[in-house]
Amino acid sequence: MPEIRPLRESDRDDILEIAKHTWGGHDYLPYSFDAWLKDKNSHTAAIEQEGHVIALANLRVIENGRTGWMEGLRVHPDYRGRGFANTLTNHVVQTAIDLRLERIRYTSATVNVESLHIGQKAGMERKFDLAVSWHADPGEIAWRSSTDPIREVASTQLHHNLVSSGLLPYNVIIYDWKALDARPDALDKIGQTARFWVQLQNGAIKSFSLGLKRDASGGPQWAFTVYASSESGFLDHLSHHVGMATENECTSMFGAFQKEFSHTFFALDWAQDEDDDEGEEFALTLLERVL
Ligand SMILES: CC(C)(COP(=O)(O)OP(=O)(O)OC[C@H]1O[C@@H](n2cnc3c(N)ncnc32)[C@H](O)[C@@H]1OP(=O)(O)O)[C@@H](O)C(=O)NCCC(=O)NCCS
């Protein structure tokens, strides 16, 4: 069994080397590494071979100690298929048990069969999926939709009526690739980096979205999530976020939305996924194990 130890500052070059080989170099690891080292709630785990870190993972304790968020599982391509990812995952699960957390969670792309296999082997189950889509150059999209007005709200205005809207599967908010239960403190936390918009009907929320600007390898990216109860509500929010991505001078945008609107989305001229010849839907899934 290889030795597992926390990450340290001197591992930076090894981490950048692994990131360079992950997802065509579009890995978020270089943006997370410093934050993990500083964060007392992050429990990093690394495996060394021949004097270099070749595999790593992080368990971040969130939601006041209820949840262990699993992230950053990576194995250098030269060392894959030797069980290091399983070993790290088991270690992370045991860390969560030792910390007496209530559950562990992570999100993954549904096309990432390795990730799903490793999670399910560690006793995790898929809770729900959201469709996702990535686009370069949102500023070039001329399409717009505005059936009903969209208004920006503060997190405090969502405290009591977002959950009762019934829009969120399992009352979980997905923002970027992260997830939090839609409790008031979580909404306030998400509101520190994201902005919120709603459409109302008789004072009740009938559609909701959030968006945030974040760093990505190709320049700033607009990341958004839309939850709507109607097709027109979905299109109005989508259009709004195309506009926000443009206004914020983002070079790309990444959106997540309910799968029931996939057909509507991919019917839009600009949204057609040219790389997808097999018609396989690219989705995000939330995995969870209650401990
Ligand atoms: C996913 C990743 C961590 C797996 O690393 P690895 O060293 O190959 O994993 P392991 O050798 O521990 O294998 C773990 C399990 O996944 C399975 N697996 C690995 N590659 C697979 C593939 N392409 N298809 C299906 N299963 C696969 C292995 O068979 C093994 O299952 P088993 O124990 O039932 O035999 C590695 O490919 C990687 O770093 N990928 C890029 C980043 C990423 O996708 N991370 C996932 C978290 S988002």
Side-chain angles (χ1 to χ4, degrees):
M1 178 73 88
E3 190 198 331
I4 297 177
R5 60 146 175 96
L7 282 172
R8 38 193 188 233
E9 171 59 38
S10 55
D11 299 327
R12 182 180 298 276
D13 288 349
D14 293 341
I15 300 311
L16 293 179
E17 173 67 17
I18 294 173
K20 210 165 75 184
H21 293 284
T22 308
W23 300 321
H26 296 293
D27 195 355
Y28 65 82
L29 221 62
Y31 301 99
S32 308
F33 180 67
D34 287 320
W36 290 349
L37 291 186
K38 280 190 226 134
D39 176 21
K40 63 178 178 8
N41 291 316
S42 281
H43 300 260
T44 56
I47 295 176
E48 260 186 52
Q49 296 280 289
E50 297 156 60
H52 293 281
V53 169
I54 52 85
L56 72 144
N58 187 37
L59 176 78
R60 197 152 44 85
V61 179
I62 59 171
E63 300 186 306
N64 299 320
R66 288 183 69 210
T67 309
W69 185 253
M70 297 165 71
E71 60 190 357
L73 177 66
R74 306 280 185 273
V75 176
H76 189 286
D78 294 349
Y79 293 86
R80 286 183 190 164
R82 301 188 199 177
F84 291 132
N86 279 334
T87 302
L88 281 173
T89 301
N90 293 338
H91 171 86
V92 162
V93 173
Q94 191 54 49
T95 305
I97 292 170
D98 294 345
L99 290 167
R100 298 181 189 279
L101 306 183
E102 285 176 31
R103 62 190 179 195
I104 43 176
R105 284 179 167 176
Y106 72 97
T107 53
S108 177
T110 51
V111 291
N112 193 337
V113 285
E114 303 96 301
S115 170
L116 299 184
H117 179 84
I118 293 165
Q120 283 161 346
K121 202 170 168 182
M124 308 196 62
E125 283 175 14
R126 276 169 75 167
K127 296 277 281 184
F128 64 84
D129 293 1
L130 286 184
V132 288
S133 180
W134 180 92
H135 282 272
D137 304 321
E140 288 176 14
I141 302 170
W143 168 86
R144 290 293 185 272
S145 164
S146 59
T147 309
D148 284 319
I150 288 186
R151 68 164 74 158
E152 183 166 9
V153 288
S155 61
T156 47
Q157 293 169 276
L158 298 167
H159 281 182
H160 301 294
N161 50 6
L162 182 57
V163 168
S164 61
S165 72
L167 288 167
L168 307 176
Y170 294 89
N171 289 326
V172 171
I173 298 192
I174 297 290
Y175 64 110
D176 205 359
W177 283 86
K178 304 191 195 72
L180 286 176
D181 282 358
R183 296 175 169 216
D185 53 343
L187 285 161
D188 294 344
K189 184 177 163 25
I190 298 170
Q192 289 168 8
T193 47
R195 293 166 63 184
F196 304 113
W197 291 271
V198 294
Q199 285 175 319
L200 299 172
Q201 191 167 39
N202 304 324
I205 297 175
K206 62 171 187 168
S207 63
F208 161 73
S209 67
L210 61 87
L212 60 123
K213 186 179 181 177
R214 71 167 181 88
D215 289 332
S217 51
Q221 181 175 81
W222 186 256
F224 65 93
T225 314
V226 177
Y227 299 94
S229 54
S230 69
E231 186 175 77
S232 67
F234 166 69
L235 290 171
D236 288 351
H237 280 270
L238 176 63
S239 165
H240 175 71
H241 287 285
V242 173
M244 289 305 298
T246 308
E247 201 179 301
N248 282 277
E249 297 177 344
C250 290
T251 52
S252 66
M253 65 176 190
F254 171 77
F257 48 88
Q258 297 131 295
K259 286 181 102 175
E260 65 200 82
F261 298 119
S262 285
H263 190 71
T264 306
F265 180 80
F266 287 108
L268 297 166
D269 281 354
W270 60 268
Q272 276 167 17
D273 191 349
E274 283 156 26
D275 295 329
D276 190 4
D277 7 304
E278 293 176 15
E280 185 173 13
E281 208 172 79
F282 189 65
L284 165 162
T285 190
L286 178 80
L287 290 97
E288 177 182 278
R289 176 174 153 188
V290 176
L291 300 173

